[in-house]
Amino acid sequence: QVQLVESGGGLVQAGGSLRLSCAASGNIRSIGSMGWHRRAPGKQREFVASITKAGSPNYAVSVKGQFTISRDNAKNTLYLQMNSLKPEDTAVYYCAAASNGRPRWDSWGQGTQVTVSS
């Protein structure tokens, strides 16, 4: 199993930036792609960004050019750099990991709250 713990959330003014981190532990060698999803109040969880083990990123259209996903495999850590934040970015952000070679999210973190004030 893989355990994921997010950090870095908080309150920020519109136009500001935050960097989220996700620390992985457990069966690290089994991890393939990793990604970020978010759930805003009253909405379903939505995909934000993902990155392969080799570092190839993929973004939701809504955040392309605004957010940057990265990972440091040596540190077992996933990051999400969020710039030009808007109130509509307010959500609980969740880290996820897929088993290497499998197209599903197997592990999830507890989430970290991001609140963007206008």
Side-chain angles (χ1 to χ4, degrees), residues 65-85:
Q66 181 189 358
F67 293 179
T68 302
I69 190 170
S70 62
R71 65 193 291 171
D72 187 336
N73 292 337
K75 296 181 178 180
N76 302 321
T77 303
L78 176 73
Y79 303 98
L80 184 68
Q81 179 66 47
M82 305 185 294
N83 297 326
S84 302
L85 284 164

Side-chain angles (χ1 to χ4, degrees), residues 32-102:
S33 292
M34 299 186 74
W36 292 96
H37 301 72
R38 65 187 181 187
R39 187 191 297 274
K43 293 185 176 182
Q44 293 194 100
R45 185 174 61 196
E46 66 174 343
F47 170 80
V48 174
S50 65
I51 187 168
T52 68
K53 192 172 184 177
S56 297
N58 187 39
Y59 298 95
V61 172
S62 61
V63 305
K64 192 175 298 182
Q66 181 189 358
F67 293 179
T68 302
I69 190 170
S70 62
R71 65 193 291 171
D72 187 336
N73 292 337
K75 296 181 178 180
N76 302 321
T77 303
L78 176 73
Y79 303 98
L80 184 68
Q81 179 66 47
M82 305 185 294
N83 297 326
S84 302
L85 284 164
K86 309 166 186 175
E88 50 262 46
D89 295 318
T90 294
V92 177
Y93 284 72
Y94 297 91
C95 175
S99 297
N100 197 9
R102 297 189 177 187

